[in-house]
Amino acid sequence: PWGTQSFIVEFIVIMLRAVILALALGAAAAFAPLASKPMRGSVLNAGAVDTLKGLQGPAIPWGSDGVLVGKEESEIKGYDTFEKFATALASSGVDTASGEFTIYAPTDSAVELVNSPDLTADVVKYHITPGKMPKGSISGDQATLLGKDMTYKYFSRQTFLDDAVIGQVPQGAATGQSYPVDIAFDNGLIHTIAFVQNPAWTKVSGDAGQGGIA
């Protein structure tokens, strides 16, 4: 009978509407966290140590060792890190959470160099200056938390503090490595460097700005 068929049609329409509504509500719930959660990197919320531990340094090529495993010398083996300096900073007693600071962080490869000084608390302090100092604003000696200045020099279009180049980049095609600068953490900036700065460094030539370890 027509009445029965009409009832069935209405029932099917109601059920379809219910299914569509449920699907719509489910989709909205699924996308809600994406809308409310900040994208990674949009909010710093990271101290100096955590930022250093997550920071990727310059690329490390295979070099001559790559030939033995079928790699080109210029192929990238991996990337340097800053775990050693981060660990030393965490155990140094230096409070980088109060105030603003600029940190000059040596790579793990730099720490492992034969002539590098141990990362004592005093050496760590020699890598930190009060206030935020973007790389492009460095124009003079930088007073460190140790109480001794790192010596500024501008030479061959490079910014030096003692013997370390700040913002080191390749000086020719396919040569050298790039060291990140102006990396922000909650209350400061990080510049990465290829050497461990030594508090014993002294300037030995006023004209050339050259120096060495006393």
Side-chain angles (χ1 to χ4, degrees):
W2 172 248
T4 302
Q5 293 178 349
S6 176
F7 173 79
I8 293 173
V9 170
E10 290 181 3
F11 178 78
I12 292 173
V13 170
I14 292 172
M15 291 301 296
L16 287 174
R17 287 176 178 173
V19 170
I20 292 172
L21 178 60
L23 290 173
L25 291 174
F31 284 99
L34 294 178
S36 60
K37 184 177 181 179
M39 293 297 289
R40 183 180 178 89
S42 62
V43 178
L44 291 177
N45 194 28
V49 172
D50 289 338
T51 301
L52 284 166
K53 287 184 175 181
L55 182 58
Q56 178 177 285
I60 301 174
W62 273 96
S64 58
D65 292 340
V67 177
L68 301 176
V69 292
K71 303 287 186 180
E72 296 290 335
E73 292 188 13
S74 59
E75 284 189 59
I76 302 304
K77 181 180 182 180
Y79 292 87
D80 221 331
T81 55
F82 303 88
E83 290 283 345
K84 295 181 185 299
F85 187 79
T87 299
L89 175 59
S91 61
S92 68
V94 177
D95 181 13
T96 55
S98 302
E100 295 184 341
F101 300 94
T102 300
I103 298 174
Y104 298 85
T107 62
D108 286 350
S109 295
V111 175
E112 293 168 357
L113 292 175
V114 174
N115 295 325
S116 291
D118 294 334
L119 290 176
T120 63
D122 281 350
V123 171
V124 169
K125 291 176 183 177
Y126 191 58
H127 289 76
I128 305 174
T129 61
K132 292 183 180 180
M133 178 62 69
K135 185 260 179 180
S137 297
I138 299 173
S139 59
D141 294 353
Q142 298 297 301
T144 71
L145 296 187
L146 184 61
K148 180 179 183 292
D149 291 359
M150 287 187 287
T151 302
Y152 167 80
K153 175 179 66 175
Y154 187 77
F155 180 73
S156 289
R157 299 182 180 179
Q158 299 267 41
T159 297
F160 288 80
L161 288 176
D162 293 353
D163 283 332
V165 177
I166 313 304
Q168 181 173 318
V169 295
Q171 296 301 293
T175 62
Q177 298 168 297
S178 295
Y179 287 73
V181 294
D182 295 325
I183 307 301
F185 62 97
D186 277 350
N187 53 324
L189 293 173
I190 296 170
H191 305 315
T192 65
I193 54 178
F195 297 99
V196 176
Q197 301 286 62
N198 194 326
W201 192 96
T202 58
K203 189 175 183 178
V204 297
S205 172
D207 294 331
Q210 297 174 343
I213 306 306

